[in-house]
Amino acid sequence: MGKITGFLEYPRLQETSEAPAQRKKHWREFTEHLDDDQAKTQAARCMDCGVPFCHNGCPVNNIIPDFNDLVYRQDWKRAIDVLHSTNNFPEFTGRVCPAPCEAACTLNVNDDAVGIKSIEHKIIDKAWEEGWVVAQPAARRTGWKVAVVGSGPAGLAAAQQLARAGHAVTVFEKNDRAGGLLRYGIPDFKLDKGHIDRRLEQMRGEGVQFRTGVFVGAAADAGQHGNPRVIAPEQLRQEYDAVVLTGGAETPRDLPVPGRALQGVHFAMEFLPQANRVVAGDVLQDQLVATGKQVVVIGGGDTGSDCVGTSNRQGAVAVTQFELLPQPPRQEDRPLVWPYWPIRLRTSSSHEEGCQRDWAVATKCFNDDGKGRVRSLTAVRLEWKDGKMHEVAGSEFEIQADLVLLAMGFVAPAQGVLDAFGVARDARGNARAGTEARGGYRTSVDKVFAAGDMRRGQSLVVWAIREGRQCAHAVDEFLMGHSSLPR
């Protein structure tokens, strides 16, 4: 390592952020990456720990000690080469990944973990600034054609890897712009969409074609996505030598309680994409907004946090967030849980901007204002005994709610797409496909592969990139009989 004693000498340094009161006034990213000297000092904290558990913590198996050492030596060009060798899109993960690598960091046993995410963020931003991120077209073409259905992180990773292997790749996206959840799920203040656009340009330079506004599946299922052009799965199977399904986990978990059908009770993914479209310059009729409203967000994960940040920027009067589970501890028992992902209290940047959080709360019903709109919700407090949830007697309460956003996770991918392809599913409704070294990611239908949320269910961006890369290896092997693409 660059400095063996660095972890003893330097404290962890957080990236600087614009003050909450100021950043709520705009939709731009507000976190600054480290400067060169700060990144060097933070990289010096990486230990010569013998067994780098951060490798296992990172789903794409980033070679973290190596790029940390290169950053310490200020060899930025080699650092981005090492980072890109495992991760196609570190500008995405460096911004929105929760950093399971840091939870697994050996230094995290009894100190603050190495700031791996901030170093990754700095490396890729430096690479773009220096012009090192360029198209890498294949030296020769194989003549094979691959269709990728879905342009989220799994689809983009699979498409880029396959194009670099020499295959002719076409990405089909039902929305008007490519990017999937990156584009229409994550708010711009967390991920500026310019990062997606310049990657798309790089991929076009590598030969990838993008066909947006195209729904692959049954025509009856296309209406809920606007007016996209419809292509039947059989047409893709006839025209392409392999098809990769990389759609997201788009079926949200519902809350079937009295009053659910009232106006003003919506899924988070009805709310967030509209905000992203408006920020992108679109004009929407009857946009769902939080302006001047008492907002209640049900669900304590990242999607719920994004609803909080978006509501505050739209001018909500107040935002309350409910979580079904009890409040976790502020600090985990590290010797007990390390190197695994710990359950502890996490306060996001959106929470810092203004939010009343409440735990161990269940919603009993939504109450009508007499005109078919929600005016409040009735909830009850919970206690957990022997691993079971019990309502606390006499704890019911009512809270005003002009807008309720359901952000309780996603249960399955869009079933209509899997039905249209005739793909076998697992018990959770995902496409059934294994991950074994040979023949992995293949579904029950000939020539059809599945990766990302479509195969594993709701997960992280970094898992989607891993699945897309590994699926690309499997498709390349299927077409060529062997593959030099990394898994």
Side-chain angles (χ1 to χ4, degrees), residues 14-223:
Q14 299 289 352
E15 295 173 312
T16 59
S17 296
E18 188 178 357
Q22 297 303 313
R23 68 191 190 222
K24 285 197 301 182
K25 299 176 182 178
H26 63 77
W27 297 88
R28 301 184 303 277
E29 289 184 7
F30 51 80
T31 300
E32 293 290 333
H33 59 63
L34 305 175
D35 64 30
D36 289 12
D37 290 337
Q38 290 171 332
K40 175 179 179 177
T41 301
Q42 289 306 292
R45 299 186 70 240
C46 187
M47 305 166 65
D48 185 13
C49 59
V51 178
F53 287 89
C54 54
H55 283 196
N56 268 358
C58 174
V60 293
N61 303 124
N62 279 338
I63 312 170
I64 295 163
D66 294 52
F67 68 62
N68 281 341
D69 183 55
L70 291 166
V71 168
Y72 177 77
R73 300 177 189 280
Q74 299 287 276
D75 191 345
W76 296 98
K77 181 62 171 63
R78 289 179 64 198
I80 188 57
D81 290 343
V82 169
L83 183 51
H84 268 152
S85 71
T86 57
N87 184 352
N88 295 67
F89 314 118
E91 63 269 49
F92 303 158
T93 54
R95 286 170 166 81
V96 301
C97 180
C101 55
E102 294 186 12
C105 174
T106 304
L107 188 56
N108 193 48
V109 172
N110 62 350
D111 200 349
D112 292 330
V114 174
I116 300 167
K117 180 178 176 179
S118 65
I119 295 170
E120 180 178 332
H121 183 185
K122 170 62 178 179
I123 293 171
I124 183 57
D125 281 11
K126 179 90 169 180
W128 280 109
E129 291 164 5
E130 296 293 335
W132 295 332
V133 184
V134 296
Q136 301 176 37
R140 64 178 185 85
R141 293 293 173 184
T142 64
W144 298 110
K145 297 170 60 180
V146 182
V148 176
V149 181
S151 66
L156 294 180
Q160 185 165 66
Q161 293 294 95
L162 289 166
R164 290 176 176 178
H167 306 304
V169 182
T170 303
V171 178
F172 295 86
E173 168 58 51
K174 64 180 179 295
N175 288 309
D176 57 343
R177 300 178 180 94
L181 184 68
L182 298 169
R183 175 79 66 181
Y184 287 129
I186 299 174
D188 289 68
F189 57 81
K190 288 176 63 175
L191 179 67
D192 186 282
K193 306 317 171 195
H195 301 302
I196 306 172
D197 294 334
R198 61 186 179 183
R199 277 296 180 183
L200 297 179
E201 283 306 305
Q202 180 199 28
M203 293 175 66
R204 289 187 181 100
E206 295 168 348
V208 178
Q209 296 185 14
F210 292 91
R211 296 182 60 183
T212 56
V214 177
F215 179 82
V216 179
D221 296 318

Side-chain angles (χ1 to χ4, degrees), residues 281-467:
D282 293 352
V283 178
L284 302 184
Q285 296 295 324
D286 301 319
Q287 181 192 356
L288 179 62
V289 294
T291 310
K293 296 177 181 176
Q294 297 276 352
V295 179
V296 175
V297 178
I298 300 178
D302 287 341
T303 303
S305 174
D306 292 344
C307 289
V308 172
T310 300
S311 295
N312 278 323
R313 280 163 178 75
Q314 290 181 347
V317 172
V319 183
T320 302
Q321 185 175 26
F322 288 154
E323 168 58 61
L324 195 68
L325 298 173
Q327 180 175 344
R330 293 185 178 274
Q331 183 63 58
E332 73 273 20
D333 185 345
R334 290 180 178 178
L336 178 66
V337 299
W338 178 87
Y340 302 108
W341 184 249
I343 296 175
R344 62 175 172 82
L345 181 63
R346 302 176 192 278
T347 299
S348 72
S349 60
S350 293
H351 294 141
E352 294 171 351
E353 294 163 3
C355 176
Q356 179 65 45
R357 304 168 74 185
D358 204 347
W359 287 267
V361 172
T363 301
K364 299 285 288 183
C365 65
F366 302 111
N367 303 311
D368 196 334
D369 68 351
K371 300 177 181 178
R373 289 195 56 85
V374 65
R375 65 168 176 81
S376 66
L377 65 82
T378 300
V380 64
R381 301 204 173 275
L382 305 172
E383 59 181 354
W384 294 77
K385 295 180 180 179
D386 302 322
K388 295 181 180 179
M389 180 176 67
H390 301 275
E391 295 184 3
V392 177
S395 67
E396 283 194 6
F397 64 96
E398 186 174 341
I399 180 173
Q400 181 181 346
D402 307 308
L403 175 63
V404 178
L405 300 173
L406 307 180
M408 303 176 295
F410 302 84
V411 296
Q415 297 300 292
V417 174
L418 299 181
D419 287 339
F421 275 92
V423 170
R425 282 164 282 191
D426 63 20
R428 296 184 300 154
N430 305 318
R432 182 181 296 152
T435 59
E436 55 272 13
R438 293 192 64 85
Y441 295 89
R442 295 182 67 171
T443 70
S444 59
V445 178
D446 185 41
K447 302 198 302 184
V448 178
F449 296 73
D453 288 4
M454 185 72 77
R455 190 200 70 83
R456 65 176 285 119
Q458 176 190 353
S459 194
L460 304 174
V461 168
V462 69
W463 269 108
I465 294 173
R466 172 198 173 124
E467 293 249 327

